Amino acid sequence: MKNLWNDDTAEQLVADYAKKGVGRDLALRVYTTRLLGGVPQLVLHGGGNTSCKIKATDLVGDEWDVLCVKGSGWDMAVIEPQGLPAVKMGALLKARKLDRLSDENMVALQRANLIDPASPNPSVETLLHAFLPHKFVDHTHSTAILAIVDQEDSKPLVAKVFGAKMGYVPYIMPGFDLAKAAADVFDADPTVEGLILDKHGIFTFGDDARQAYDRMIHYVNVAEDYVAEHAKPKTAKIALPARLASPAAIAPMLRGAVAAPRGEGRFDRMISDFRTSDAIVDFINSAEIADYAGRGVSTPDLSIRIKTGPLAVPAPDADKIGDYKAVIQNHVDAFAKDYRAYFETNDALDDVKRTMLDPMPRLTLVPGLGMFGHGRTLKDARIASDVGEMWIEAVRGAEAVGRFHPLSKADLFPLEYWSLEQAKLASNKPKPLTGQVVLITGGAGAIGAATAKLFADNGAHAVVVDLDAEKAADAARKAGNNSIGVGADITDPDQMRAAFDKAVAVFGGVDILVSNAGAAWEGRIGELDDTLLRKSFELNFFAHQSAAQNAVRIMLEQGTGGALLFNTSKQAVNPGPKFGAYGVPKAATLFLSRQYALDYGAHGIRSNAVNADRIRSGLLTDAMIASRSGARGVSEKEYMSGNLLGQEVTAQDVAQAFLHHALADRTTADVTTVDGGNIAAALR
């Protein structure tokens, strides 16, 4: 582990923060917190915490001794001074005299003594930081330290590795009891430079920021060196199939299997993030991988990210890929069954009212390929993958020096179902399309871009497909929610397939297709050049068929249903003069949508159309508006608002219709008209 302290950088940060009224100690606290937070082998996604003890002035000018400690929700890698809320030390120190303090009262005590009431909640380990006398205290979940403490009899090993310089604290769930126990260990030997917390991590401390940081890096290096010097020979590897299936081939199957059913054909879907490297594959190919996964998480904090541990499945045989979906489903079902038993057994031990979390795995290990992180959002899925990499590193180290023996699942349960975490989860309400992936063709146009933005605002991750890759990327960026842009000529089947493959590679699958791309050509039908009509059919009909085929291919593998949404246009039911080149293939597309409803309804795949008219877009350009209004003998304004409501219809209105169909999970074979009212185009 490299020591990243740099005098010049540290002093520059101190100078920069001084201009903002931030003192030297707090500035250096921010500096070393970022150094620790930027190393995944030490800190991951909200884990770890740091503190410093300084003086601060409240809103009425009174000065207090305070503890500035990492606040809930802050990432140590990018922390700012406000991410270290100041808590009055006096009340915190008095708490040590108490015999007990509930988690809720502990949080209330800490919030009641904040200098700034608007600050985030201080870390759950605030009292531990307060009870230690040092000015600076650092805490991480170093994977090297976990390799030492994740042993059946870790105490003598800790003594052997670190000697008398580090105190040993038996496992206790974070909170008041752990704070008191850690302080007692320190009081028994005030010469120690840090504390090793069994099955948990490491604390180091010092009189200044650099001393605490240097000690952290030093003792992590001691652990790393011990693991490297005492490593046992590698375990045997599993026998892999002669031909492995690709990640893309199994991703939809796996994503479908981990979708939590809500009954009556409804699912809480998840996004999947595939991760691989030589190191990942080498470890996952171990003959013991299923056993390692079943033992649990390397530190209890990870239960919030990957539940009781990973799921290990067999390597996928490309020559037997037709059978692999059932293999995955059986393993996921077994994981879920075990999780329910884990919950029911431990929940019955007391009278606390708890709500069981969904029992689906959040990390799947696939020998020969890599691993898939699962989450309700891409961010959560990537976090699960990040955690997986650190889990592998910790387990590899633990097995190198002994036998991986993490915290028991019975002891893990109180943390996973901690009242504070339950409250946090209860307040995190998903959006209507959270966990779903929508692919939109013609995605950079007016209707496509509006649809991508609206779906992303409602929780979906959008794959914006357009002929212009730069415009697709720009529309995806504006849509937000980690949406992506893909450049493709959708009249080319190979490029269409590649666009869907990209959706699978990034998100694990597709749940909604908005087949929107189109272009219009004018001319009387009997005078059209045959080449032009065929060109229009390629884009306005066959591209829709190609998109739907690809979507259905993935949806069937997922087994969780889906939605096919077609932009068919008013021309499909009410053709306009000299517009046959556009209207005829659009009419075919309308009936295509109904055919898909007939053929795939039994699989939970819904197929609906949106019949829109006169929407300003790349298709209906200013020149086209002038031409069409002239053909009808009306002004451009009259043409655009020539409907029963007398209002121009916008791309956002069409997007709302697509959203309606995405959410209407009991509607199929429908056509929704978005034209402000046109009796001639009304279906009957």
Side-chain angles (χ1 to χ4, degrees), residues 40 88 115 153 207 227 308 350 391 403 464 471 480 580 609 661:
K88 297 171 186 175
I115 289 293
D153 191 10
D207 296 327
V227 171
T308 55
D350 57 36
W391 178 86
R403 183 178 186 275
V464 179
K471 289 182 178 179
H661 277 300

Side-chain angles (χ1 to χ4, degrees), residues 485-613:
V486 178
D489 178 355
I490 61 171
T491 63
D492 180 337
D494 290 338
Q495 292 190 45
M496 180 73 87
R497 170 77 185 231
F500 279 85
D501 287 347
K502 183 67 174 180
V504 171
V506 176
F507 301 113
V510 173
D511 305 291
I512 305 164
L513 165 67
V514 178
S515 193
N516 167 70
W521 291 273
E522 293 184 278
R524 290 201 298 179
I525 191 69
E527 300 168 4
L528 284 178
D529 180 84
D530 187 57
T531 301
L532 179 63
L533 186 58
R534 291 180 183 277
K535 180 179 180 181
S536 182
F537 262 92
E538 285 294 335
L539 179 59
N540 294 311
F541 173 76
F542 284 109
H544 290 278
Q545 161 68 345
S546 178
Q549 283 181 313
N550 277 282
V552 164
R553 167 178 59 84
I554 294 169
M555 291 172 183
L556 290 175
E557 292 289 2
Q558 292 171 165
T560 55
L564 307 177
L565 308 178
F566 298 88
N567 188 342
T568 57
S569 169
K570 161 263 187 189
Q571 293 295 323
V573 293
N574 178 219
K578 301 180 181 179
F579 226 36
Y582 180 62
V584 173
K586 279 295 188 180
T589 298
L590 173 60
F591 281 86
L592 179 73
S593 75
R594 290 180 168 176
Q595 194 65 48
Y596 271 98
L598 278 169
D599 289 345
Y600 294 98
H603 299 278
I605 297 173
R606 297 174 291 112
S607 180
N608 295 292
V610 172
N611 171 5
D613 188 30

Side-chain angles (χ1 to χ4, degrees), residues 392-454:
I392 286 173
E393 188 165 321
V395 176
R396 181 190 289 117
E399 285 290 308
V401 299
R403 183 178 186 275
F404 176 54
H405 187 86
L407 190 69
S408 72
K409 292 181 181 178
D411 288 326
L412 187 67
F413 182 80
L415 185 60
E416 186 181 3
Y417 282 89
W418 197 5
S419 60
L420 301 182
E421 284 299 328
Q422 286 265 289
K424 190 185 299 182
L425 290 169
S427 65
N428 184 21
K429 300 296 184 184
K431 295 180 178 180
L433 294 177
T434 293
Q436 298 201 47
V437 180
V438 57
L439 186 144
I440 306 165
T441 66
I447 293 174
T451 302
K453 180 71 168 64
L454 184 61

